[in-house]
Amino acid sequence: MSPTTDTALLVIDAQESFRQRPDDWAATANPQVFDNIALLVAHARAAGDAVAWVTHSEPGTGGVFDPDSGFVRVVTELEPRADEIQVTKTTVNAFTSTDLQRQLAARGIGRLVVCGIRTEQCCETTARIAGDLGFVVEFVTDATTTSPIPAGPGYAAVSGDDLMRRTESVLGAREFATITTTARRVRAAAAV
């Protein structure tokens, strides 16, 4: 089914790979991420928006992001439809190693709603690149999550919550994206 609006929901890396790192996943900053993504997906479909599913792959590594592991697939709580965009990336952002930009352009998409896993990494980087490519970007922070970063050589520890707040500040204040919540996104779009 073709979208009837110029908006696409980008669901980034909501994949089983992350749950295969139990200690990391147990520390996720937003345990409700999949519930919020499911609400956004249902709303996007009802509104006639496109839905694009992005997974991350690291072929040949033998880890949980290696396609041979069987975990490079959308989590069981979420179900992509056959007619929705599905790409697998090998870079941090969703554009550089995929044909996502071409697929969005073919559908007349000019506005992107970004959600998924890791707030400050793949989601933020995709939002920045999308802005550079000319898309209007909404970033739904409570439909993203990340895990804390432990201290390392030359850098301090940062909590997952702090990473999420920092991403909101950087994207919002620097005008890379409009920052919103799942509830606001669903309400605002329903009012249009």
Side-chain angles (χ1 to χ4, degrees):
M1 184 167 98
S2 295
T4 58
T5 73
D6 71 341
T7 301
L9 174 66
L10 294 188
V11 183
I12 300 171
D13 299 350
Q15 66 191 69
E16 290 294 338
S17 306
F18 286 100
R19 292 200 283 209
Q20 300 309 306
R21 297 173 165 173
D23 292 339
D24 192 39
W25 188 249
T28 193
N30 180 12
Q32 292 79 36
V33 66
F34 297 136
D35 294 337
N36 289 340
I37 292 172
L39 289 170
L40 291 174
V41 169
H43 181 268
R45 289 171 175 164
D49 297 344
V51 179
W53 301 89
V54 180
T55 52
H56 181 78
S57 174
E58 296 172 359
T61 62
V64 296
F65 291 95
D66 189 321
D68 291 339
S69 72
F71 301 121
V72 180
R73 57 184 162 76
V74 174
V75 295
T76 56
E77 296 94 316
L78 305 170
E79 295 185 34
R81 292 182 179 168
D83 63 339
E84 293 173 335
I85 298 169
Q86 295 182 50
V87 298
T88 299
K89 63 185 179 61
T90 56
T91 53
V92 174
N93 78 81
F95 293 101
T96 303
S97 60
T98 72
D99 69 344
L100 179 61
Q101 182 182 5
R102 182 194 60 75
Q103 290 193 58
L104 294 170
R107 289 167 174 80
I109 302 299
R111 177 179 297 278
L112 300 179
V113 179
V114 176
C115 65
I117 302 177
R118 291 201 190 266
T119 309
E120 82 291 357
Q121 200 169 347
C122 298
C123 296
E124 179 180 337
T125 306
T126 296
R128 288 173 181 247
I129 299 291
D132 283 349
L133 293 173
F135 292 99
V136 174
V137 180
E138 289 181 55
F139 195 88
V140 189
T141 311
D142 70 347
T144 72
T145 194
T146 195
S147 299
I149 297 174
Y155 57 90
V158 184
S159 74
D161 288 334
D162 286 346
L163 288 166
M164 292 176 74
R165 298 299 76 81
R166 176 223 156 263
T167 295
E168 287 179 327
S169 296
V170 170
L171 291 178
R174 301 294 185 249
E175 299 180 3
F176 288 106
T178 300
I179 306 302
T180 193
T181 65
T182 300
R184 274 189 272 160
R185 172 75 190 133
V186 170
R187 266 196 321 269
V192 174

